[in-house]
Amino acid sequence: MTDSSLAELSNTLFSVSVALYSVALVAYCAELAFGRRRERAQESVGAAAGGGGVALADRPAAVATGETARSNRWGLIALGVTVVGALTHAGVLLTRGLAADRLPWGNMYEFATAVVLVAVVAFVAFAVRSPNLRHIGVFMMAPVILALVAIGLGLYTEAAPVVAALRSYWLAIHVTAAILGFGIFMVSGVASVLYLVRSRPGADAGTGFVSRLPSPAALDRLAHRTAVFGFPIWTFAVIAGAIWAEAAWGRFWGWDPKETWSFVAWVVYAAYLHARTTAGWRGRPAAWVNVVGLAVMIFNLTFVNLVSTGLHSYAGVD
């Protein structure tokens, strides 16, 4: 039996989470906008000082200081709203699990929702530890919101008991590891995309939003650290999946579409970590490999689940 009231609460919390993340996105945009105004004010300081106008220079300096404080204030508001959104996001899964009396990742809707939550939590953790990384909040929350909207519109299924094939303790082991790995790789992939944008020739010139991003080195470091953290988790997920397959189907590996693309993703991320430390591949070439890795993960989640057929067809979507 499913508790309909808890299931409805889960749906409501899903909408609330999207709304909160949208508010956070607006706040991150405000932080970025005031940062750009601060830079323009600082340029005015330099121009006035260069012309010998001390009185003229004082006013832009005060404006720049005010804009810095306002930018930081918006950034803190954005991060706070993101944390609240993550809490309601976690509530989506908690109430859904309680409603169906099981772990809340037994279908594609729940799996994808959990992946996005892991990505948000990972971003918040790094933003708190390194405030400069808060500037990528716009570019993290935008795909988060788009992903949740797509999940809600295209993958939603009613809360219900899982199919018989998934009633195993391996669901808690294998699928949980896959969710953690995918969510962390999502942050790594976004960081690499931003690194590719930030490291373009001339990206430091002017006062556009690109110049407001963290340095290329910081973005590259974020992408690498998250991939290093996510890779062993994904490796464990693949191994655990093989063990579960042997218990369920009598073979460790059968080149099922899901198994195949999970292995392809593992190879791509192994290649990225190797390229990241290899002369001639460091920097942009390695970042492109990381972006390909994220594309493979998304393909594995969407196309393989929704279009191809195999033993892992538990999407729960008609």
Side-chain angles (χ1 to χ4, degrees):
M1 291 291 294
T2 301
D3 189 324
S4 59
S5 61
L6 283 174
E8 185 60 32
L9 176 59
S10 176
N11 296 340
T12 301
L13 289 174
F14 188 95
S15 299
V16 171
S17 299
V18 175
L20 287 170
Y21 288 149
S22 298
V23 172
L25 176 63
V26 172
Y28 284 121
C29 288
E31 178 190 26
L32 201 64
F34 283 117
R36 293 176 63 184
R37 288 173 59 180
R38 180 194 67 191
E39 290 169 355
R40 288 195 293 270
Q42 288 173 335
E43 286 186 347
S44 298
V45 171
V54 176
L56 292 175
D58 289 341
R59 185 177 178 184
V63 171
T65 301
E67 297 298 350
T68 299
R70 190 172 299 179
S71 175
N72 289 335
R73 186 160 56 248
W74 276 111
L76 291 174
I77 291 172
L79 193 60
V81 176
T82 302
V83 171
V84 176
L87 292 174
T88 61
H89 194 161
V92 173
L93 297 168
L94 177 62
T95 52
R96 189 173 175 92
L98 292 173
D101 193 25
R102 59 171 174 79
L103 285 173
W105 36 81
N107 53 56
M108 195 173 172
Y109 167 78
E110 296 167 356
F111 179 91
T113 301
V115 165
V116 176
L117 174 60
V118 171
V120 172
V121 172
F123 162 69
V124 169
F126 277 96
V128 169
R129 183 176 179 181
S130 302
N132 186 47
L133 293 177
R134 197 177 62 214
H135 294 309
I136 71 172
V138 172
F139 310 98
M140 274 303 308
M141 299 316 299
V144 161
I145 294 168
L146 291 174
L148 287 178
V149 170
I151 291 166
L153 294 177
L155 302 179
Y156 177 77
T157 56
E158 296 289 342
V162 294
V163 297
L166 296 179
R167 294 170 190 167
S168 169
Y169 60 87
W170 283 106
L171 179 68
I173 300 172
H174 166 60
V175 181
T176 301
I179 288 169
L180 291 173
F182 194 166
I184 294 168
F185 283 152
M186 184 175 172
V187 177
S188 183
V190 170
S192 280
V193 170
L194 295 177
Y195 167 79
L196 290 169
V197 173
R198 187 72 171 85
S199 62
R200 290 182 307 171
D204 284 322
T207 59
F209 76 90
V210 175
S211 65
R212 287 281 295 143
L213 292 173
S215 68
L219 291 169
D220 184 45
R221 190 162 52 249
L222 174 62
H224 180 247
R225 287 179 177 176
T226 46
V228 166
F229 189 64
F231 183 71
I233 298 175
W234 186 254
T235 301
F236 175 78
V238 173
I239 294 173
I243 297 173
W244 189 5
E246 196 281 331
W249 304 315
R251 91 295 188 277
F252 286 99
W253 200 267
W255 296 107
D256 180 79
K258 176 65 69 172
E259 295 171 345
T260 300
W261 283 99
S262 295
F263 178 69
V264 169
W266 184 89
V267 171
V268 172
Y269 279 106
Y272 164 67
L273 294 177
H274 178 71
R276 179 61 171 61
T277 59
T278 302
W281 278 89
R282 297 191 190 100
R284 294 179 65 86
W288 277 113
V289 176
N290 196 24
V291 173
V292 170
L294 180 60
V296 171
M297 295 291 290
I298 295 173
F299 178 84
N300 192 20
L301 173 65
T302 55
F303 184 87
V304 173
N305 276 330
L306 299 176
V307 180
S308 66
T309 58
L311 294 173
H312 291 79
S313 300
Y314 306 127
V317 180
D318 295 331

